[in-house]
Amino acid sequence: MGYRGPLPKTAIARYNTCVVALRTSPRWGPLVRRRLTQITYTGRRSGRTFSTPVGYRRDGEVVTIGVMMPDAKSWWRNFTGDGGPITLDLDDTGRTGHAVARRDERGRVTVTVRLDGEA
């Protein structure tokens, strides 16, 4: 059996750094950016700005982010209730929108982002 506890923050930070590097690489970036974006948001309690890479699906001006292992992550909690503002790296630019997180009866969390205006 392997380690089952939460990943150390340094491991997560290294993983996120690698994902961001892949997104910006000339060779792999166009492929990686089809399914991975970087979100930027302001923490509700801390007021600090955070950025993290996430997987996404896009349908026009609506972006859906499925949160894998939601109980091990906290970023999505900034978008519960009425939700809040978010920025996503899409279309080679920062796109702003309004994100709302919902947990279903099976415990899965989905964050739905409605993008503001045109790029």
Side-chain angles (χ1 to χ4, degrees):
M1 287 208 178
Y3 176 74
R4 291 183 175 249
L7 287 172
K9 290 186 188 265
T10 55
I12 295 168
R14 270 187 254 139
Y15 173 80
N16 288 347
T17 299
C18 290
V19 169
V20 170
L22 279 173
R23 286 190 76 252
T24 59
S25 95
R27 182 173 187 172
W28 301 107
L31 180 64
V32 172
R33 286 190 297 267
R34 289 184 202 164
R35 295 286 178 228
L36 291 174
T37 187
Q38 182 165 304
I39 60 170
T40 302
Y41 61 95
T42 301
R44 280 187 180 175
R45 292 190 302 197
S46 70
R48 291 178 44 210
T49 300
F50 299 93
S51 293
T52 189
V54 296
Y56 75 98
R57 290 184 320 274
R58 183 176 179 183
D59 185 11
E61 297 300 295
V62 176
V63 174
T64 305
I65 302 167
V67 181
M68 307 306 274
M69 302 185 320
D71 294 324
K73 298 175 180 159
S74 60
W75 69 264
W76 62 268
R77 291 176 175 90
N78 287 283
F79 304 104
T80 58
D82 292 335
I86 192 169
T87 302
L88 299 90
D89 289 342
L90 297 172
D91 308 324
D92 295 324
T93 188
R95 295 286 308 271
T96 59
H98 185 82
V100 178
R102 299 276 186 252
R103 185 186 284 264
D104 70 13
E105 65 281 350
R106 295 175 70 188
R108 296 176 296 205
V109 173
T110 303
V111 178
T112 303
V113 180
R114 300 210 180 276
L115 298 173
D116 299 331
E118 290 296 315

